[in-house]
Structures are given as C-alpha cells and as structure tokens.
Amino acid sequence: ETGVTQSPTHLIKTRGQQVTLRCSSQSGHNTVSWYQQALGQGPQFIFQYYREEENGRGNFPPRFSGLQFPNYSSELNVNALELDDSALYLCASREQGVSYGYTFGSGTRLTVV
Amino acid sequence: GNSVTQMEGPVTLSEEAFLTINCTYTATGYPSLFWYVQYPGEGLQLLLKATKADDKGSNKGFEATYRKETTSFHLEKGSVQVSDSAVYFCALTLTGANNLFFGTGTRLTVIP
C-alpha cells in the first residue's frame, strides 16, 4: 500500500471531550510523526513513534498521546479538548534513518466548539 | 533554538512571472533544508531538499541553494504556472533529530 491515509477528514468536538485520530502509514515505514497545523501557521511537531515506542516529543502537554501498531497504523489521542486544539492534524511516516523521506497524509481537520 | 522564518504572503503573480520566496533559518547544529508544497485539500509534499552548504535542490523548475553564510534557502522559479498555486513551506531538520521545523508558509496564487 502506498501513501499515508488519515481518518476522519473532518471532525467537530466539544470542549472537554476526547478525540482519536487515525493514520495508516505507508507500508515499510516504521516511523510515524504527528504534527499540528493551526490556521495560517506551519506544522508543529507533536511526537514521533518508532517500533511502537514514543522516541521524540515536541512542546505539547501530556493530554496529547499516541499509539503505533505493528500493521503501520497509528493513533493520536487528545483528552480534555480546548478551543486552541482546533487545527489540521497531519500524520507523516518514513523509514527510520531517512531524515528527508517523510510522506504526509492529507490531515484531519479538528474543530473544537 | 531551531527556527525557520519565511517571507510573509500571500504572493500573487501573473503566469510566467519570476518567483522568489525568501527563507532564513537558525539552527543549533548543521541542518538539512527543505521546501514542501501543500496543494488545496492535500498533505505536504516534498518539493526539494539540500543537505549541505552550497548544495542546490531542484525539482519541477523550482530551485533553492543552501547558503550557510547567510543562513538562507530561498525558493525560486523562473516562470510560474497557474498549477503552481499552493502554500509553500520552508523547513529544516538536524542530523539525528526526529522532527522537522517549519516556517509559517507562503501562499502563492498565480493568475492567468
């Protein structure tokens, strides 16, 4: 399977709720990263997973958490949603050690009301 | 710290005009530099890259040269097309790092 697929494409949640976003990585890509892209801004690194373990994290609070599964899928979970969490969430996968080989998904647009 | 500063947009050009989008960076180590493009409704796509000083990345008529002395990686294209309309992001990563640092993006609109 080629490409990175994210679901859902759009989502509306209420402040305080929890959300799970999903990503299906490109086959053979054992590293997955998640980014948050606020409107009019560049993507900000949330965290990275390699072989199902978190191995890097940006400046995001613990209520942002993730999982990576052996079948190249992964999840981003956000608890206690805040209005400022409204953004486009991007998943990117690559082979470990290939620093420029990221393949990005089209993202999930999350709106918190 | 590590950061990327991009020319603010939006940029509107006529077809066949010359394009420059400025990008400068600060880095705690020796970075690799990238330009990504985001078309409407799509994810980021790698446009070009350069991994060491004086390298020139090129793709689809776009070029950018890694200038260590000016910490810059400006994107250029000699003749833009309507299909080049998109948001362009300059980014860097450090050797052994887990993540990309992105600029804020520059929206380019090319009119016929």
Side-chain angles (χ1 to χ4, degrees):
Chain A
E1 182 181 348
T2 60
V4 175
T5 304
Q6 292 188 241
S7 63
T9 54
H10 296 82
L11 196 55
I12 299 175
K13 287 287 190 178
T14 303
R15 189 172 51 182
Q17 285 188 314
Q18 178 267 343
V19 69
T20 297
L21 310 182
R22 294 182 172 81
C23 172
S24 178
S25 301
Q26 185 163 329
S27 180
H29 285 190
N30 52 17
T31 301
V32 64
S33 302
W34 286 88
Y35 287 80
Q36 180 195 66
Q37 186 180 4
L39 195 63
Q41 300 297 314
Q44 299 290 316
F45 176 66
I46 302 175
F47 46 57
Q48 176 174 283
Y49 277 76
Y50 171 63
R51 291 187 176 178
E52 303 163 47
E53 296 284 335
E54 183 181 303
N55 73 339
R57 190 175 186 93
N59 189 27
F60 281 81
R63 60 188 185 85
F64 286 78
S65 63
L67 288 171
Q68 184 187 26
F69 303 101
N71 65 351
Y72 303 114
S73 67
S74 60
E75 293 180 353
L76 164 65
N77 299 288
V78 187
N79 294 321
L81 284 167
E82 301 177 0
L83 297 180
D84 285 349
D85 296 333
S86 296
L88 180 68
Y89 288 86
L90 296 167
C91 170
S93 71
R94 65 178 173 94
E95 292 179 49
Q96 181 66 7
V98 182
S99 62
Y100 49 83
Y102 292 96
T103 301
F104 280 82
S106 299
T108 294
R109 173 73 63 187
L110 173 66
T111 302
V112 182
V113 298
Chain B
N2 301 298
S3 66
V4 175
T5 301
Q6 269 184 253
M7 164 182 168
E8 289 196 17
V11 174
T12 302
L13 295 173
S14 297
E15 204 165 22
E16 299 184 2
F18 184 84
L19 169 71
T20 300
I21 301 177
N22 290 338
C23 170
T24 57
Y25 68 89
T26 58
T28 55
Y30 197 85
S32 294
L33 303 173
F34 308 87
W35 278 98
Y36 279 83
V37 60
Q38 188 173 35
Y39 298 102
E42 298 184 16
L44 298 171
Q45 298 176 25
L46 179 63
L47 180 59
L48 53 84
K49 63 174 172 55
T51 58
K52 62 182 187 296
D54 300 325
D55 267 2
K56 176 184 282 188
S58 61
N59 186 27
K60 300 180 181 180
F62 291 89
E63 293 182 340
T65 301
Y66 188 142
R67 300 289 188 197
K68 187 178 179 183
E69 63 277 11
T70 54
T71 63
S72 65
F73 193 54
H74 305 321
L75 181 68
E76 297 182 336
K77 186 175 185 183
S79 176
V80 293
Q81 305 300 312
V82 172
S83 58
D84 294 328
S85 298
V87 181
Y88 293 82
F89 292 93
C90 186
L92 69 83
T93 191
L94 298 176
T95 302
N98 295 326
N99 61 298
L100 291 160
F101 295 89
F102 286 90
T104 55
T106 302
R107 181 176 297 278
L108 170 66
T109 301
V110 181
I111 55 177

